[in-house]
Amino acid sequence: MKEIKEYIRDILNFPKEGIVFKDISPLLNHSDTFTRVIEMWKERYANRGIDTVVGVEARGFVFASAVAYAIGAGCVMIRKPGKLPYKTFTKTYDLEYGTDTIEVHQDAIDPGNKVLVIDDVLATGGTMEAVLELLMDNFNCELVEVTFLMELSFLGGRDKMKNLPVHSLVVY
Ligand code: AMP
């Protein structure tokens, strides 16, 4: 069987000059490989008593819902502003230029819930740091682990993960 990395496509200079974009489309569209990554997460998390899998917009949703289904947990979406219809908690965080905002429904996570957080790529860690702060500031939940399909380890994003356990299926 081919390595997972063989189904992650490098797109040079997307979305801007100097960025190597890690395109997961080939992986998602190859049923054996997509199944394999969900099974790897299932093996790791099925017996951890996880109640809620949190996915980060937008590619994180694809994995979060499949993992939630596989381990019998609920699924929660962290979204860009203006997308969630009910009352929300909000977090604004700094980007290289300007700021960005993320939101979650106020009733998304019950007190004491065990939570797994998923996204596709850990790069600089800024996005996930904001997600973790949004969750820690507003919910009395237990963050069990933060997991990524891939980690760009040379960017050092792991240091921003609030001392939580961090896991990646594939490391560059
Ligand atoms: P960061 O906040 O720098 O860790 O970036 C994480 C977010 O940006 C994730 O939601 C990724 O989907 C996306 N991202 C960052 N860098 C890349 C990359 N090289 N290829 C694909 N997606 C990326």
PDB file of all heavy atoms in Angstrom, residues 4-37:
ATOM      1  N   ILE A   4       0.475   7.419   2.911  1.00  0.00           N
ATOM      2  CA  ILE A   4      -0.529   8.501   2.917  1.00  0.00           C
ATOM      3  C   ILE A   4       0.022   9.740   2.204  1.00  0.00           C
ATOM      4  O   ILE A   4      -0.687  10.400   1.448  1.00  0.00           O
ATOM      5  CB  ILE A   4      -0.919   8.829   4.373  1.00  0.00           C
ATOM      6  CG1 ILE A   4      -1.731   7.665   4.948  1.00  0.00           C
ATOM      7  CG2 ILE A   4      -1.709  10.130   4.455  1.00  0.00           C
ATOM      8  CD1 ILE A   4      -1.950   7.737   6.433  1.00  0.00           C
ATOM      9  N   LYS A   5       1.306   9.995   2.420  1.00  0.00           N
ATOM     10  CA  LYS A   5       1.910  11.194   1.815  1.00  0.00           C
ATOM     11  C   LYS A   5       1.794  11.207   0.294  1.00  0.00           C
ATOM     12  O   LYS A   5       1.792  12.267  -0.320  1.00  0.00           O
ATOM     13  CB  LYS A   5       3.394  11.297   2.198  1.00  0.00           C
ATOM     14  CG  LYS A   5       3.634  11.894   3.574  1.00  0.00           C
ATOM     15  CD  LYS A   5       5.117  12.054   3.843  1.00  0.00           C
ATOM     16  CE  LYS A   5       5.353  12.665   5.216  1.00  0.00           C
ATOM     17  NZ  LYS A   5       6.765  12.744   5.568  1.00  0.00           N
ATOM     18  N   GLU A   6       1.723  10.035  -0.304  1.00  0.00           N
ATOM     19  CA  GLU A   6       1.627   9.987  -1.765  1.00  0.00           C
ATOM     20  C   GLU A   6       0.291  10.497  -2.283  1.00  0.00           C
ATOM     21  O   GLU A   6       0.140  10.759  -3.474  1.00  0.00           O
ATOM     22  CB  GLU A   6       1.890   8.567  -2.256  1.00  0.00           C
ATOM     23  CG  GLU A   6       3.326   8.151  -1.985  1.00  0.00           C
ATOM     24  CD  GLU A   6       3.632   6.759  -2.504  1.00  0.00           C
ATOM     25  OE1 GLU A   6       3.320   6.493  -3.674  1.00  0.00           O
ATOM     26  OE2 GLU A   6       4.151   5.950  -1.719  1.00  0.00           O
ATOM     27  N   TYR A   7      -0.677  10.637  -1.380  1.00  0.00           N
ATOM     28  CA  TYR A   7      -1.990  11.165  -1.781  1.00  0.00           C
ATOM     29  C   TYR A   7      -2.190  12.611  -1.327  1.00  0.00           C
ATOM     30  O   TYR A   7      -3.289  13.138  -1.389  1.00  0.00           O
ATOM     31  CB  TYR A   7      -3.106  10.268  -1.247  1.00  0.00           C
ATOM     32  CG  TYR A   7      -3.084   8.921  -1.906  1.00  0.00           C
ATOM     33  CD1 TYR A   7      -2.387   7.853  -1.327  1.00  0.00           C
ATOM     34  CD2 TYR A   7      -3.715   8.725  -3.132  1.00  0.00           C
ATOM     35  CE1 TYR A   7      -2.331   6.620  -1.946  1.00  0.00           C
ATOM     36  CE2 TYR A   7      -3.670   7.494  -3.757  1.00  0.00           C
ATOM     37  CZ  TYR A   7      -2.974   6.449  -3.165  1.00  0.00           C
ATOM     38  OH  TYR A   7      -2.930   5.229  -3.798  1.00  0.00           O
ATOM     39  N   ILE A   8      -1.127  13.217  -0.825  1.00  0.00           N
ATOM     40  CA  ILE A   8      -1.173  14.638  -0.484  1.00  0.00           C
ATOM     41  C   ILE A   8      -0.339  15.363  -1.538  1.00  0.00           C
ATOM     42  O   ILE A   8       0.855  15.103  -1.685  1.00  0.00           O
ATOM     43  CB  ILE A   8      -0.620  14.892   0.933  1.00  0.00           C
ATOM     44  CG1 ILE A   8      -1.496  14.163   1.966  1.00  0.00           C
ATOM     45  CG2 ILE A   8      -0.569  16.397   1.219  1.00  0.00           C
ATOM     46  CD1 ILE A   8      -0.919  14.133   3.376  1.00  0.00           C
ATOM     47  N   ARG A   9      -0.997  16.251  -2.283  1.00  0.00           N
ATOM     48  CA  ARG A   9      -0.386  16.865  -3.461  1.00  0.00           C
ATOM     49  C   ARG A   9       0.149  18.246  -3.117  1.00  0.00           C
ATOM     50  O   ARG A   9      -0.570  19.062  -2.535  1.00  0.00           O
ATOM     51  CB  ARG A   9      -1.473  16.967  -4.536  1.00  0.00           C
ATOM     52  CG  ARG A   9      -1.103  17.637  -5.818  1.00  0.00           C
ATOM     53  CD  ARG A   9      -2.148  17.376  -6.896  1.00  0.00           C
ATOM     54  NE  ARG A   9      -3.494  17.829  -6.526  1.00  0.00           N
ATOM     55  CZ  ARG A   9      -4.601  17.526  -7.208  1.00  0.00           C
ATOM     56  NH1 ARG A   9      -4.531  16.757  -8.277  1.00  0.00           N
ATOM     57  NH2 ARG A   9      -5.781  17.970  -6.826  1.00  0.00           N
ATOM     58  N   ASP A  10       1.398  18.500  -3.480  1.00  0.00           N
ATOM     59  CA  ASP A  10       1.982  19.837  -3.276  1.00  0.00           C
ATOM     60  C   ASP A  10       1.602  20.750  -4.431  1.00  0.00           C
ATOM     61  O   ASP A  10       1.848  20.421  -5.592  1.00  0.00           O
ATOM     62  CB  ASP A  10       3.512  19.751  -3.230  1.00  0.00           C
ATOM     63  CG  ASP A  10       4.013  19.228  -1.899  1.00  0.00           C
ATOM     64  OD1 ASP A  10       3.188  18.990  -0.992  1.00  0.00           O
ATOM     65  OD2 ASP A  10       5.241  19.056  -1.759  1.00  0.00           O
ATOM     66  N   ILE A  11       1.002  21.878  -4.106  1.00  0.00           N
ATOM     67  CA  ILE A  11       0.711  22.897  -5.117  1.00  0.00           C
ATOM     68  C   ILE A  11       1.569  24.124  -4.799  1.00  0.00           C
ATOM     69  O   ILE A  11       1.391  24.757  -3.751  1.00  0.00           O
ATOM     70  CB  ILE A  11      -0.782  23.311  -5.100  1.00  0.00           C
ATOM     71  CG1 ILE A  11      -1.707  22.085  -5.201  1.00  0.00           C
ATOM     72  CG2 ILE A  11      -1.059  24.339  -6.192  1.00  0.00           C
ATOM     73  CD1 ILE A  11      -1.790  21.455  -6.570  1.00  0.00           C
ATOM     74  N   LEU A  12       2.502  24.412  -5.698  1.00  0.00           N
ATOM     75  CA  LEU A  12       3.437  25.515  -5.446  1.00  0.00           C
ATOM     76  C   LEU A  12       2.762  26.860  -5.670  1.00  0.00           C
ATOM     77  O   LEU A  12       1.960  27.034  -6.578  1.00  0.00           O
ATOM     78  CB  LEU A  12       4.649  25.402  -6.374  1.00  0.00           C
ATOM     79  CG  LEU A  12       5.443  24.096  -6.286  1.00  0.00           C
ATOM     80  CD1 LEU A  12       6.686  24.170  -7.166  1.00  0.00           C
ATOM     81  CD2 LEU A  12       5.831  23.775  -4.847  1.00  0.00           C
ATOM     82  N   ASN A  13       3.118  27.810  -4.774  1.00  0.00           N
ATOM     83  CA  ASN A  13       2.656  29.202  -4.904  1.00  0.00           C
ATOM     84  C   ASN A  13       1.137  29.347  -4.884  1.00  0.00           C
ATOM     85  O   ASN A  13       0.574  30.156  -5.604  1.00  0.00           O
ATOM     86  CB  ASN A  13       3.236  29.844  -6.173  1.00  0.00           C
ATOM     87  CG  ASN A  13       4.748  29.807  -6.160  1.00  0.00           C
ATOM     88  OD1 ASN A  13       5.361  30.090  -5.128  1.00  0.00           O
ATOM     89  ND2 ASN A  13       5.353  29.442  -7.277  1.00  0.00           N
ATOM     90  N   PHE A  14       0.473  28.553  -4.043  1.00  0.00           N
ATOM     91  CA  PHE A  14      -0.970  28.689  -3.823  1.00  0.00           C
ATOM     92  C   PHE A  14      -1.216  28.760  -2.321  1.00  0.00           C
ATOM     93  O   PHE A  14      -0.642  27.950  -1.579  1.00  0.00           O
ATOM     94  CB  PHE A  14      -1.724  27.492  -4.415  1.00  0.00           C
ATOM     95  CG  PHE A  14      -3.223  27.600  -4.256  1.00  0.00           C
ATOM     96  CD1 PHE A  14      -3.999  28.229  -5.213  1.00  0.00           C
ATOM     97  CD2 PHE A  14      -3.860  27.099  -3.105  1.00  0.00           C
ATOM     98  CE1 PHE A  14      -5.378  28.341  -5.052  1.00  0.00           C
ATOM     99  CE2 PHE A  14      -5.234  27.220  -2.941  1.00  0.00           C
ATOM    100  CZ  PHE A  14      -5.990  27.838  -3.924  1.00  0.00           C
ATOM    101  N   PRO A  15      -2.072  29.659  -1.833  1.00  0.00           N
ATOM    102  CA  PRO A  15      -2.837  30.677  -2.566  1.00  0.00           C
ATOM    103  C   PRO A  15      -2.034  31.925  -2.896  1.00  0.00           C
ATOM    104  O   PRO A  15      -2.543  32.815  -3.552  1.00  0.00           O
ATOM    105  CB  PRO A  15      -3.979  31.020  -1.600  1.00  0.00           C
ATOM    106  CG  PRO A  15      -3.409  30.766  -0.246  1.00  0.00           C
ATOM    107  CD  PRO A  15      -2.424  29.637  -0.412  1.00  0.00           C
ATOM    108  N   LYS A  16      -0.750  31.962  -2.421  1.00  0.00           N
ATOM    109  CA  LYS A  16       0.080  33.100  -2.847  1.00  0.00           C
ATOM    110  C   LYS A  16       1.534  32.661  -2.989  1.00  0.00           C
ATOM    111  O   LYS A  16       1.927  31.585  -2.505  1.00  0.00           O
ATOM    112  CB  LYS A  16      -0.054  34.284  -1.879  1.00  0.00           C
ATOM    113  CG  LYS A  16       0.222  33.981  -0.420  1.00  0.00           C
ATOM    114  CD  LYS A  16      -0.033  35.197   0.442  1.00  0.00           C
ATOM    115  CE  LYS A  16       0.252  34.852   1.898  1.00  0.00           C
ATOM    116  NZ  LYS A  16      -0.075  35.875   2.837  1.00  0.00           N
ATOM    117  N   GLU A  17       2.313  33.486  -3.631  1.00  0.00           N
ATOM    118  CA  GLU A  17       3.717  33.233  -3.911  1.00  0.00           C
ATOM    119  C   GLU A  17       4.468  32.743  -2.658  1.00  0.00           C
ATOM    120  O   GLU A  17       4.329  33.318  -1.587  1.00  0.00           O
ATOM    121  CB  GLU A  17       4.338  34.559  -4.417  1.00  0.00           C
ATOM    122  CG  GLU A  17       5.564  34.413  -5.273  1.00  0.00           C
ATOM    123  CD  GLU A  17       5.315  33.708  -6.602  1.00  0.00           C
ATOM    124  OE1 GLU A  17       4.172  33.738  -7.106  1.00  0.00           O
ATOM    125  OE2 GLU A  17       6.270  33.101  -7.110  1.00  0.00           O
ATOM    126  N   GLY A  18       5.233  31.678  -2.818  1.00  0.00           N
ATOM    127  CA  GLY A  18       6.079  31.215  -1.719  1.00  0.00           C
ATOM    128  C   GLY A  18       5.445  30.159  -0.831  1.00  0.00           C
ATOM    129  O   GLY A  18       6.113  29.535  -0.017  1.00  0.00           O
ATOM    130  N   ILE A  19       4.141  29.929  -0.955  1.00  0.00           N
ATOM    131  CA  ILE A  19       3.458  28.914  -0.148  1.00  0.00           C
ATOM    132  C   ILE A  19       3.417  27.596  -0.911  1.00  0.00           C
ATOM    133  O   ILE A  19       3.118  27.570  -2.107  1.00  0.00           O
ATOM    134  CB  ILE A  19       1.993  29.332   0.182  1.00  0.00           C
ATOM    135  CG1 ILE A  19       1.946  30.717   0.837  1.00  0.00           C
ATOM    136  CG2 ILE A  19       1.279  28.267   0.996  1.00  0.00           C
ATOM    137  CD1 ILE A  19       2.287  30.744   2.297  1.00  0.00           C
ATOM    138  N   VAL A  20       3.733  26.495  -0.200  1.00  0.00           N
ATOM    139  CA  VAL A  20       3.508  25.156  -0.766  1.00  0.00           C
ATOM    140  C   VAL A  20       2.219  24.630  -0.150  1.00  0.00           C
ATOM    141  O   VAL A  20       2.198  24.249   1.024  1.00  0.00           O
ATOM    142  CB  VAL A  20       4.677  24.205  -0.449  1.00  0.00           C
ATOM    143  CG1 VAL A  20       4.393  22.822  -1.048  1.00  0.00           C
ATOM    144  CG2 VAL A  20       5.988  24.774  -0.967  1.00  0.00           C
ATOM    145  N   PHE A  21       1.153  24.633  -0.916  1.00  0.00           N
ATOM    146  CA  PHE A  21      -0.152  24.222  -0.404  1.00  0.00           C
ATOM    147  C   PHE A  21      -0.262  22.709  -0.420  1.00  0.00           C
ATOM    148  O   PHE A  21      -0.015  22.060  -1.435  1.00  0.00           O
ATOM    149  CB  PHE A  21      -1.274  24.843  -1.253  1.00  0.00           C
ATOM    150  CG  PHE A  21      -2.639  24.660  -0.648  1.00  0.00           C
ATOM    151  CD1 PHE A  21      -3.122  25.565   0.282  1.00  0.00           C
ATOM    152  CD2 PHE A  21      -3.433  23.572  -0.999  1.00  0.00           C
ATOM    153  CE1 PHE A  21      -4.386  25.399   0.858  1.00  0.00           C
ATOM    154  CE2 PHE A  21      -4.691  23.395  -0.420  1.00  0.00           C
ATOM    155  CZ  PHE A  21      -5.165  24.304   0.503  1.00  0.00           C
ATOM    156  N   LYS A  22      -0.653  22.138   0.706  1.00  0.00           N
ATOM    157  CA  LYS A  22      -0.811  20.686   0.830  1.00  0.00           C
ATOM    158  C   LYS A  22      -2.257  20.341   0.482  1.00  0.00           C
ATOM    159  O   LYS A  22      -3.163  20.539   1.301  1.00  0.00           O
ATOM    160  CB  LYS A  22      -0.483  20.251   2.259  1.00  0.00           C
ATOM    161  CG  LYS A  22       0.960  20.495   2.652  1.00  0.00           C
ATOM    162  CD  LYS A  22       1.861  19.549   1.888  1.00  0.00           C
ATOM    163  CE  LYS A  22       3.300  19.633   2.361  1.00  0.00           C
ATOM    164  NZ  LYS A  22       4.175  18.824   1.509  1.00  0.00           N
ATOM    165  N   ASP A  23      -2.471  19.824  -0.702  1.00  0.00           N
ATOM    166  CA  ASP A  23      -3.816  19.543  -1.218  1.00  0.00           C
ATOM    167  C   ASP A  23      -4.230  18.118  -0.854  1.00  0.00           C
ATOM    168  O   ASP A  23      -3.619  17.148  -1.324  1.00  0.00           O
ATOM    169  CB  ASP A  23      -3.804  19.741  -2.736  1.00  0.00           C
ATOM    170  CG  ASP A  23      -5.161  19.502  -3.365  1.00  0.00           C
ATOM    171  OD1 ASP A  23      -6.171  19.480  -2.630  1.00  0.00           O
ATOM    172  OD2 ASP A  23      -5.207  19.334  -4.603  1.00  0.00           O
ATOM    173  N   ILE A  24      -5.300  18.018  -0.045  1.00  0.00           N
ATOM    174  CA  ILE A  24      -5.767  16.692   0.391  1.00  0.00           C
ATOM    175  C   ILE A  24      -6.820  16.095  -0.547  1.00  0.00           C
ATOM    176  O   ILE A  24      -7.318  15.001  -0.288  1.00  0.00           O
ATOM    177  CB  ILE A  24      -6.352  16.742   1.826  1.00  0.00           C
ATOM    178  CG1 ILE A  24      -7.519  17.739   1.899  1.00  0.00           C
ATOM    179  CG2 ILE A  24      -5.257  17.060   2.831  1.00  0.00           C
ATOM    180  CD1 ILE A  24      -8.305  17.670   3.203  1.00  0.00           C
ATOM    181  N   SER A  25      -7.129  16.774  -1.639  1.00  0.00           N
ATOM    182  CA  SER A  25      -8.173  16.264  -2.557  1.00  0.00           C
ATOM    183  C   SER A  25      -7.885  14.846  -3.048  1.00  0.00           C
ATOM    184  O   SER A  25      -8.797  14.002  -3.062  1.00  0.00           O
ATOM    185  CB  SER A  25      -8.350  17.198  -3.758  1.00  0.00           C
ATOM    186  OG  SER A  25      -8.588  18.509  -3.338  1.00  0.00           O
ATOM    187  N   PRO A  26      -6.632  14.527  -3.474  1.00  0.00           N
ATOM    188  CA  PRO A  26      -6.386  13.146  -3.931  1.00  0.00           C
ATOM    189  C   PRO A  26      -6.631  12.118  -2.830  1.00  0.00           C
ATOM    190  O   PRO A  26      -7.170  11.034  -3.090  1.00  0.00           O
ATOM    191  CB  PRO A  26      -4.901  13.171  -4.336  1.00  0.00           C
ATOM    192  CG  PRO A  26      -4.615  14.616  -4.629  1.00  0.00           C
ATOM    193  CD  PRO A  26      -5.447  15.386  -3.664  1.00  0.00           C
ATOM    194  N   LEU A  27      -6.283  12.455  -1.609  1.00  0.00           N
ATOM    195  CA  LEU A  27      -6.486  11.527  -0.486  1.00  0.00           C
ATOM    196  C   LEU A  27      -7.982  11.287  -0.245  1.00  0.00           C
ATOM    197  O   LEU A  27      -8.430  10.148  -0.102  1.00  0.00           O
ATOM    198  CB  LEU A  27      -5.820  12.106   0.764  1.00  0.00           C
ATOM    199  CG  LEU A  27      -5.827  11.263   2.036  1.00  0.00           C
ATOM    200  CD1 LEU A  27      -4.640  11.632   2.911  1.00  0.00           C
ATOM    201  CD2 LEU A  27      -7.110  11.426   2.836  1.00  0.00           C
ATOM    202  N   LEU A  28      -8.751  12.361  -0.231  1.00  0.00           N
ATOM    203  CA  LEU A  28     -10.193  12.227   0.019  1.00  0.00           C
ATOM    204  C   LEU A  28     -10.873  11.435  -1.086  1.00  0.00           C
ATOM    205  O   LEU A  28     -11.859  10.735  -0.843  1.00  0.00           O
ATOM    206  CB  LEU A  28     -10.846  13.613   0.119  1.00  0.00           C
ATOM    207  CG  LEU A  28     -10.415  14.485   1.291  1.00  0.00           C
ATOM    208  CD1 LEU A  28     -11.091  15.851   1.191  1.00  0.00           C
ATOM    209  CD2 LEU A  28     -10.741  13.830   2.629  1.00  0.00           C
ATOM    210  N   ASN A  29     -10.329  11.540  -2.285  1.00  0.00           N
ATOM    211  CA  ASN A  29     -10.965  10.919  -3.444  1.00  0.00           C
ATOM    212  C   ASN A  29     -10.429   9.520  -3.720  1.00  0.00           C
ATOM    213  O   ASN A  29     -10.775   8.911  -4.732  1.00  0.00           O
ATOM    214  CB  ASN A  29     -10.774  11.816  -4.671  1.00  0.00           C
ATOM    215  CG  ASN A  29     -11.798  11.544  -5.738  1.00  0.00           C
ATOM    216  OD1 ASN A  29     -12.755  10.815  -5.518  1.00  0.00           O
ATOM    217  ND2 ASN A  29     -11.589  12.125  -6.898  1.00  0.00           N
ATOM    218  N   HIS A  30      -9.576   9.005  -2.822  1.00  0.00           N
ATOM    219  CA  HIS A  30      -9.074   7.634  -2.960  1.00  0.00           C
ATOM    220  C   HIS A  30      -9.638   6.841  -1.785  1.00  0.00           C
ATOM    221  O   HIS A  30      -9.181   6.980  -0.652  1.00  0.00           O
ATOM    222  CB  HIS A  30      -7.539   7.639  -2.965  1.00  0.00           C
ATOM    223  CG  HIS A  30      -6.961   6.306  -3.282  1.00  0.00           C
ATOM    224  ND1 HIS A  30      -6.506   5.452  -2.302  1.00  0.00           N
ATOM    225  CD2 HIS A  30      -6.793   5.658  -4.449  1.00  0.00           C
ATOM    226  CE1 HIS A  30      -6.063   4.336  -2.873  1.00  0.00           C
ATOM    227  NE2 HIS A  30      -6.226   4.439  -4.169  1.00  0.00           N
ATOM    228  N   SER A  31     -10.636   6.014  -2.049  1.00  0.00           N
ATOM    229  CA  SER A  31     -11.430   5.444  -0.956  1.00  0.00           C
ATOM    230  C   SER A  31     -10.584   4.645   0.033  1.00  0.00           C
ATOM    231  O   SER A  31     -10.778   4.755   1.250  1.00  0.00           O
ATOM    232  CB  SER A  31     -12.573   4.595  -1.503  1.00  0.00           C
ATOM    233  OG  SER A  31     -12.055   3.530  -2.269  1.00  0.00           O
ATOM    234  N   ASP A  32      -9.613   3.852  -0.453  1.00  0.00           N
ATOM    235  CA  ASP A  32      -8.788   3.044   0.460  1.00  0.00           C
ATOM    236  C   ASP A  32      -8.005   3.930   1.421  1.00  0.00           C
ATOM    237  O   ASP A  32      -7.859   3.612   2.600  1.00  0.00           O
ATOM    238  CB  ASP A  32      -7.781   2.189  -0.320  1.00  0.00           C
ATOM    239  CG  ASP A  32      -8.454   1.008  -0.994  1.00  0.00           C
ATOM    240  OD1 ASP A  32      -9.648   0.798  -0.746  1.00  0.00           O
ATOM    241  OD2 ASP A  32      -7.774   0.315  -1.765  1.00  0.00           O
ATOM    242  N   THR A  33      -7.482   5.021   0.884  1.00  0.00           N
ATOM    243  CA  THR A  33      -6.633   5.880   1.713  1.00  0.00           C
ATOM    244  C   THR A  33      -7.475   6.707   2.682  1.00  0.00           C
ATOM    245  O   THR A  33      -7.118   6.862   3.848  1.00  0.00           O
ATOM    246  CB  THR A  33      -5.774   6.787   0.811  1.00  0.00           C
ATOM    247  OG1 THR A  33      -5.142   5.970  -0.160  1.00  0.00           O
ATOM    248  CG2 THR A  33      -4.713   7.511   1.616  1.00  0.00           C
ATOM    249  N   PHE A  34      -8.603   7.209   2.192  1.00  0.00           N
ATOM    250  CA  PHE A  34      -9.505   7.951   3.083  1.00  0.00           C
ATOM    251  C   PHE A  34      -9.957   7.035   4.225  1.00  0.00           C
ATOM    252  O   PHE A  34      -9.909   7.397   5.405  1.00  0.00           O
ATOM    253  CB  PHE A  34     -10.694   8.489   2.274  1.00  0.00           C
ATOM    254  CG  PHE A  34     -11.602   9.406   3.055  1.00  0.00           C
ATOM    255  CD1 PHE A  34     -11.122  10.220   4.077  1.00  0.00           C
ATOM    256  CD2 PHE A  34     -12.957   9.472   2.749  1.00  0.00           C
ATOM    257  CE1 PHE A  34     -11.971  11.071   4.779  1.00  0.00           C
ATOM    258  CE2 PHE A  34     -13.813  10.321   3.448  1.00  0.00           C
ATOM    259  CZ  PHE A  34     -13.320  11.116   4.470  1.00  0.00           C
ATOM    260  N   THR A  35     -10.359   5.820   3.868  1.00  0.00           N
ATOM    261  CA  THR A  35     -10.782   4.860   4.888  1.00  0.00           C
ATOM    262  C   THR A  35      -9.647   4.588   5.879  1.00  0.00           C
ATOM    263  O   THR A  35      -9.858   4.535   7.088  1.00  0.00           O
ATOM    264  CB  THR A  35     -11.205   3.530   4.225  1.00  0.00           C
ATOM    265  OG1 THR A  35     -12.255   3.808   3.307  1.00  0.00           O
ATOM    266  CG2 THR A  35     -11.672   2.522   5.248  1.00  0.00           C
ATOM    267  N   ARG A  36      -8.440   4.438   5.326  1.00  0.00           N
ATOM    268  CA  ARG A  36      -7.297   4.113   6.178  1.00  0.00           C
ATOM    269  C   ARG A  36      -7.035   5.219   7.216  1.00  0.00           C
ATOM    270  O   ARG A  36      -6.777   4.939   8.382  1.00  0.00           O
ATOM    271  CB  ARG A  36      -6.060   3.903   5.297  1.00  0.00           C
ATOM    272  CG  ARG A  36      -4.906   3.313   6.039  1.00  0.00           C
ATOM    273  CD  ARG A  36      -3.915   2.781   5.027  1.00  0.00           C
ATOM    274  NE  ARG A  36      -2.565   2.949   5.509  1.00  0.00           N
ATOM    275  CZ  ARG A  36      -1.569   3.428   4.796  1.00  0.00           C
ATOM    276  NH1 ARG A  36      -1.758   3.825   3.557  1.00  0.00           N
ATOM    277  NH2 ARG A  36      -0.365   3.523   5.317  1.00  0.00           N
ATOM    278  N   VAL A  37      -7.109   6.480   6.812  1.00  0.00           N
ATOM    279  CA  VAL A  37      -6.827   7.536   7.791  1.00  0.00           C
ATOM    280  C   VAL A  37      -7.933   7.596   8.850  1.00  0.00           C
ATOM    281  O   VAL A  37      -7.639   7.793  10.035  1.00  0.00           O
ATOM    282  CB  VAL A  37      -6.563   8.923   7.159  1.00  0.00           C
ATOM    283  CG1 VAL A  37      -5.440   8.881   6.156  1.00  0.00           C
ATOM    284  CG2 VAL A  37      -7.771   9.543   6.557  1.00  0.00           C
TER     285      VAL A  37
END
